Amino acid sequence: MDIIYASSMTADELKAFKKSLGLPVTKDIRYIDIEGNVHGVADLCIYEEHPSYPTLKIICDDGSVRFIHRDYLSEMNKSSPDRKQSSAKRKQRAFSPSEYTSDFVVFDIETTGKFISEDEVVEIAAIKIRNGKPEEEFSTFVKPGRPIHPEASALTGIGDDDVRDAPSFREAAAAFTEFTEGLMLIGHNIFGFDLPIIERQIKESGADISIDCRCLDTLVLAGRVLKASSVEDRKLSTLAGYFGISPDGAHRALTDCRITREVYLHLASLADESDFRTAMKRKKPAYVSPVRKQVRISEETGELNLLKDKAGDIARDSKVTVHEIENLRTWINEHGHLKGNYPYDDIAAVLKDDIFTPSEICTRLKGIVSPDSLFEDSYDTFEGKTVVLTGDFRYGSKDEVEEAVKSMGGTVKSGVSKKTDCLLVGGLGSERWSSGNYGSKIKKAIELKNSGLKISLITEKAFEDCMNQDRK
């Protein structure tokens, strides 16, 4: 779409343009910022034309650039508040973003690492907003019960010496919850990272406190209001750059709070009520530690495991003989009752007739019996993807991983199908895998991938990298 500014239009074009936006034709246009200050509008254009999110870019008299939902600018410039409207329009315009931007607390934490199931808070910061203006700041180091990972220390600049004499988590969390006064909590990726860690540590420490107030995740809100835009991703630094906010000093809790507040106010100016409500919906997972159960192996599974071992021996043998391959082919023919199971069908297809040389057979068997080679350690984004989870995760419980995937724009399904974009495999695996049986989900995904469908089998490392990108 070509961007055309009002200043470049003829008088008739400008009149029609203003009418189409519900703006006064003869009067000056005004913009009222989140703090109630009135600005004259020097120029404007349609920045994004989307059915649900029509966004205007306006240039104020002071040179500042703002992005705003079309209906909100129209609301700011209504000629008469008593003008007759239909009941539907009155209901729609009764909503005001100030309900969500007047009183709240924006917060952020820094941690010993990136795993919500085991890492701990080393810094908590917050800014309290009253009547749309910063009222008070809170910041404290927190003494963890484990060393800070070198990668985390390099990112934040916080070392073990900095937190050696800091308050305990119980003390810091109690002070933080007292500071918030039950106001709505706002932060970036708090549903996928900050809140799960805080709530886990509250439970583990036995602290008599809880996070039971309203919460809003700006990562989710950005996914709602910017989904039709050209913004590269939803990292806090990317959003800051998109809205012209300086990212200097990022990766320290209090600075990130200030950046998040400004990003939030920009997002709020583009959001409608349903966007706010969606950004406040959180499936609060129960704290679950990974459970490792002993799994009994059936006779059929034992035979499939034996087949996998036999094929694996050939795959690893650089000097495999025709006699060894014939022995495996005989075994396949004698165990036809295993047809329909992984890896029987795939191995049988490779050994069918003499369509491959011994060297080619080795290569193909390796890909079948070593599905780890099919796993991907990197993944671009979960936005708009259909994801299936399998195995146990170092990051946390499956509920927590599911919540994190959803916060990054993904949809989680229970079973693998042709509509699955990726299978996310937990880093702790499962007891079935240790017994040589890779489970039905991985088998199905491998079969679909081998049939030519575009499905990714990604490791927990790929998931963690996506989490880190979205968080900052």
Side-chain angles (χ1 to χ4, degrees):
M1 182 188 74
D2 294 332
I3 294 179
I4 304 175
Y5 284 90
S7 58
S8 65
M9 299 178 183
T10 65
D12 289 341
E13 289 173 338
L14 181 59
K15 182 178 179 180
F17 178 63
K18 288 183 175 180
K19 280 186 175 181
S20 70
L21 298 178
L23 298 173
V25 174
T26 58
K27 295 182 179 179
D28 292 334
I29 302 171
R30 63 179 184 172
Y31 170 79
I32 305 173
D33 65 27
I34 208 71
E35 296 177 351
N37 301 313
V38 179
H39 305 264
V41 174
D43 207 352
L44 77 158
C45 66
I46 297 177
Y47 187 70
E48 292 173 348
E49 188 85 59
H50 189 275
S52 302
Y53 307 94
T55 304
L56 302 180
K57 176 181 179 181
I58 63 175
I59 302 174
C60 296
D61 287 341
D62 59 6
S64 62
V65 177
R66 315 278 179 145
F67 297 89
I68 186 171
H69 192 289
R70 178 185 62 194
D71 291 348
Y72 296 158
L73 186 63
S74 174
E75 178 73 15
M76 292 175 185
N77 288 272
K78 285 194 305 182
S79 60
S80 172
D82 298 323
R83 183 175 54 192
K84 292 184 179 180
Q85 304 171 15
S86 69
S87 59
K89 287 186 176 180
R90 285 199 300 270
K91 183 178 180 181
Q92 179 183 2
R93 294 186 177 181
F95 164 69
S96 172
S98 63
E99 176 185 348
Y100 298 92
T101 57
S102 178
D103 299 322
F104 61 91
V105 172
V106 60
F107 81 101
D108 186 59
I109 64 172
E110 303 299 341
T111 59
T112 58
K114 56 190 177 184
F115 298 111
I116 65 173
S117 62
E118 59 188 58
D119 281 301
E120 300 180 13
V121 176
V122 296
E123 185 179 34
I124 305 177
I127 301 175
K128 186 183 300 181
I129 311 298
R130 291 284 193 185
N131 298 318
K133 297 182 180 181
E135 180 182 79
E136 188 178 358
E137 294 182 348
F138 171 90
S139 181
T140 180
F141 281 133
V142 183
K143 184 177 182 179
R146 60 189 299 140
I148 300 174
H149 193 279
E151 288 184 6
S153 185
L155 180 68
T156 64
I158 302 173
D160 292 328
D161 290 341
D162 296 314
V163 297
R164 198 179 308 280
D165 299 319
S168 68
F169 174 80
R170 288 186 62 165
E171 295 171 320
F176 169 69
T177 54
E178 182 179 354
F179 173 83
T180 63
E181 297 181 350
L183 295 173
M184 179 170 65
L185 293 180
I186 292 175
H188 199 69
N189 195 27
I190 57 174
F191 290 169
F193 190 80
D194 303 62
L195 289 175
I197 289 185
I198 291 174
E199 289 167 343
R200 191 202 84 231
Q201 283 202 254
I202 287 175
K203 183 176 180 66
E204 292 175 347
S205 68
D208 187 22
I209 55 177
S210 62
I211 307 294
D212 54 7
C213 54
R214 296 191 305 166
C215 299
L216 185 150
D217 195 329
T218 53
L219 179 68
V220 180
L221 187 61
R224 290 280 298 185
V225 303
L226 298 179
K227 63 183 180 181
S229 74
S230 58
V231 63
E232 182 180 353
D233 53 49
R234 291 183 289 166
K235 292 190 292 185
L236 185 61
S237 58
T238 301
L239 296 175
Y242 180 76
F243 291 120
I245 301 165
S246 172
D248 293 346
H251 307 307
R252 283 301 298 272
L254 191 56
T255 302
D256 283 347
C257 285
R258 294 170 182 149
I259 296 173
T260 301
R261 172 183 174 262
E262 292 188 55
V263 166
Y264 172 59
L265 295 181
H266 280 282
L267 293 172
S269 70
L270 299 172
D272 59 29
E273 190 163 18
S274 65
D275 297 328
F276 285 106
R277 289 178 177 175
T278 299
M280 295 172 68
K281 288 181 181 178
R282 179 191 175 211
K283 177 185 175 183
K284 189 174 179 180
Y287 172 66
V288 180
S289 57
V291 177
R292 311 289 285 172
K293 297 180 180 179
Q294 185 175 1
V295 178
R296 294 180 179 179
I297 303 300
S298 68
E299 181 178 349
E300 184 179 85
T301 297
E303 289 178 322
L304 290 168
N305 291 342
L306 178 60
L307 171 60
K308 184 171 178 288
D309 290 339
K310 287 178 176 292
D313 290 340
I314 291 177
R316 291 186 292 271
D317 189 354
S318 59
K319 298 181 180 179
V320 64
T321 65
V322 174
H323 178 68
E324 290 174 305
I325 293 175
E326 282 302 321
N327 285 342
L328 181 60
R329 185 177 282 120
T330 299
W331 194 97
I332 284 286
N333 293 334
E334 292 174 348
H335 292 78
H337 62 279
L338 296 177
K339 187 176 180 179
N341 291 284
Y342 171 85
Y344 180 90
D345 291 348
D346 293 338
I347 294 176
V350 171
L351 296 176
K352 185 178 180 180
D353 302 325
D354 295 317
I355 57 177
F356 299 117
T357 66
S359 177
E360 290 174 331
I361 288 175
C362 285
T363 300
R364 291 176 181 273
L365 289 180
K366 185 176 181 180
I368 295 171
V369 301
S370 302
D372 289 357
S373 62
L374 299 175
F375 293 170
E376 302 172 27
D377 285 331
S378 63
Y379 200 64
D380 293 336
T381 179
F382 289 105
E383 184 75 42
K385 304 294 185 181
T386 299
V387 184
V388 176
L389 312 181
T390 186
D392 297 326
F393 292 82
R394 188 181 176 192
Y395 179 85
S397 69
K398 275 190 178 177
D399 281 345
E400 290 167 326
V401 175
E402 179 177 339
E403 189 66 27
V405 170
K406 289 180 179 178
S407 73
M408 290 185 281
T411 300
V412 178
K413 298 294 184 180
S414 59
V416 176
S417 71
K418 293 181 180 180
K419 295 182 180 180
T420 303
D421 292 303
C422 76
L423 177 66
L424 173 53
V425 183
L428 295 179
S430 79
E431 288 299 325
R432 292 186 181 89
W433 302 350
S434 67
S435 302
N437 179 0
Y438 275 82
S440 60
K441 291 181 181 178
I442 291 183
K443 291 177 185 177
K444 182 67 173 179
I446 292 173
E447 290 170 1
L448 292 174
K449 190 176 184 72
N450 289 340
S451 72
L453 290 178
K454 190 175 181 181
I455 178 172
S456 299
L457 286 76
I458 66 171
T459 65
E460 188 166 352
K461 179 183 181 300
F463 162 75
E464 293 159 5
D465 289 345
C466 282
M467 283 291 297
N468 289 338
Q469 290 173 9
D470 266 340
R471 186 173 178 233
K472 302 300 182 185

